[in-house]
Amino acid sequence: MEIESAEGNPAYYVKSVEKTFAVLLAFTADEPRLTMTRVAAKAELSRAAARRFLLTLADLGYLRTDGTHFELTPRALDVGASFLANLTLPQIAEPHLRRLAVDLNETTSLCILDGTDVVYIARVAAPRLLSVSVNVGTRFPAWATSMGRILLAGLPEAHREAYYESVELTSYTENTVASIDALRSEVDRAAERGWSLVSRELDDGLRGLAVPVRRGNDLIAALNVSLQTHRAPEDEIAATVLPRLQLAAEGIADDFGGRQRGVA
């Protein structure tokens, strides 16, 4: 049984480690440069203690200072580098997909483009569903899905045109896009709007809404939610479901290495 200190912490607890991280975590995106006084206030330390921690961290290379302000150095990334190196995009996306699935009571997925298909790399079934026929690794023709059109919209123009020249369209339902010109228009529309809604083209009972997931300027995946066709009209989906999907995409991008501010 661990013996507790007078402060209620286990006997092994090193208070200086807690204080060190309190100092490091005082630096945020909103406040990347801090004075000693500001660090002391944010870390709940005396000014003298904050000074010792700041100067030690500067000597170790984790902080730099101009004599008045302190800021993190790239070496601070070493703290989480091993953890981040072992994370994959599906692992990072799954908690976001799970929250979105619960929020919307619909199935959520993350897909990438592979040749002429989209491939599911993460998927969380709607809580109300007992089983699903689509799993991680499932492929669908990119041109017939909302996530595929988002991913096609992100391709360089030459690659997109090469795709149009190589793909063969198949009629899955009476609503399936029927020509390359029509497909080109739909992909251009997705590029312009920043999202894609495909209704009853692959399956008569389903609609798919997708948004891009970006890391900086790079399109790394498409985030999708599958919707029953009776749920709501398109304008209502755009007003209520789309913002939640976009927020989840931003969360995945941030956790996977950050999205460039100002990029939709």
Side-chain angles (χ1 to χ4, degrees):
M1 185 176 187
E2 291 286 353
I3 299 174
E4 292 187 350
S5 68
E7 296 178 340
N9 295 318
Y12 62 78
Y13 197 85
V14 182
K15 192 70 176 176
S16 59
V17 174
E18 177 188 334
K19 292 178 180 178
T20 299
F21 278 97
V23 170
L24 289 171
L25 293 173
F27 296 89
T28 65
D30 293 329
E31 294 184 276
R33 299 181 73 247
L34 299 171
T35 63
M36 190 180 302
T37 301
R38 181 59 178 152
V39 170
K42 295 188 71 174
E44 298 182 350
L45 297 171
S46 68
R47 194 172 183 279
R51 178 178 182 275
R52 291 197 299 273
F53 280 99
L54 286 168
L55 292 178
T56 299
L57 287 166
D59 286 346
L60 292 173
Y62 292 98
L63 296 175
R64 57 173 164 247
T65 180
D66 60 6
T68 302
H69 292 85
F70 291 81
E71 61 184 348
L72 295 173
T73 69
R75 188 171 185 180
L77 294 172
D78 293 346
V79 176
S82 296
F83 173 73
L84 291 174
N86 290 319
L87 283 179
T88 65
L89 180 55
Q91 287 175 314
I92 290 171
E94 185 170 351
H96 295 277
L97 295 180
R98 196 168 300 283
R99 284 193 294 269
L100 187 62
V102 170
D103 182 27
L104 298 174
N105 197 29
E106 297 286 4
T107 297
T108 57
S109 307
L110 194 73
C111 294
I112 60 172
L113 192 63
D114 183 28
T116 58
D117 298 333
V118 290
V119 180
Y120 287 78
I121 61 171
R123 183 172 173 84
V124 174
R128 58 185 164 75
L129 294 182
L130 297 179
S131 62
V132 292
S133 58
V134 178
N135 300 295
V136 171
T138 296
R139 291 173 173 266
F140 285 125
W143 55 268
T145 66
S146 59
M147 50 279 199
R149 290 178 189 175
I150 281 293
L151 293 167
L152 290 173
L155 291 176
E157 186 176 352
H159 293 180
R160 203 186 310 171
E161 289 302 320
Y163 178 91
Y164 295 143
E165 292 176 5
S166 65
V167 72
E168 293 184 11
L169 304 185
T170 301
S171 180
Y172 293 101
T173 74
E174 63 180 16
N175 298 293
T176 302
V177 68
S179 69
I180 295 299
D181 285 342
L183 173 61
R184 183 182 281 107
S185 295
E186 288 297 323
V187 172
D188 289 347
R189 188 182 184 207
E192 181 180 349
R193 297 197 300 188
W195 54 277
S196 174
L197 180 65
V198 172
S199 182
R200 299 184 299 170
E201 292 198 32
L202 199 59
D203 185 297
D204 264 324
L206 290 176
R207 280 188 292 201
L209 177 66
V211 298
V213 179
R214 298 183 184 276
R215 181 163 58 182
N217 289 319
D218 296 327
L219 177 60
I220 57 174
L223 177 62
N224 160 269
V225 60
S226 298
L227 304 163
Q228 301 296 313
T229 52
H230 64 271
R231 285 295 297 271
E234 180 174 334
D235 57 348
E236 186 175 328
I237 290 172
T240 61
V241 179
L242 179 61
R244 301 183 206 180
L245 199 63
Q246 291 170 325
L247 188 62
E250 291 171 2
I252 294 170
D254 285 343
D255 288 351
F256 193 58
R259 57 192 167 89
Q260 182 173 308
R261 294 192 181 279
V263 176

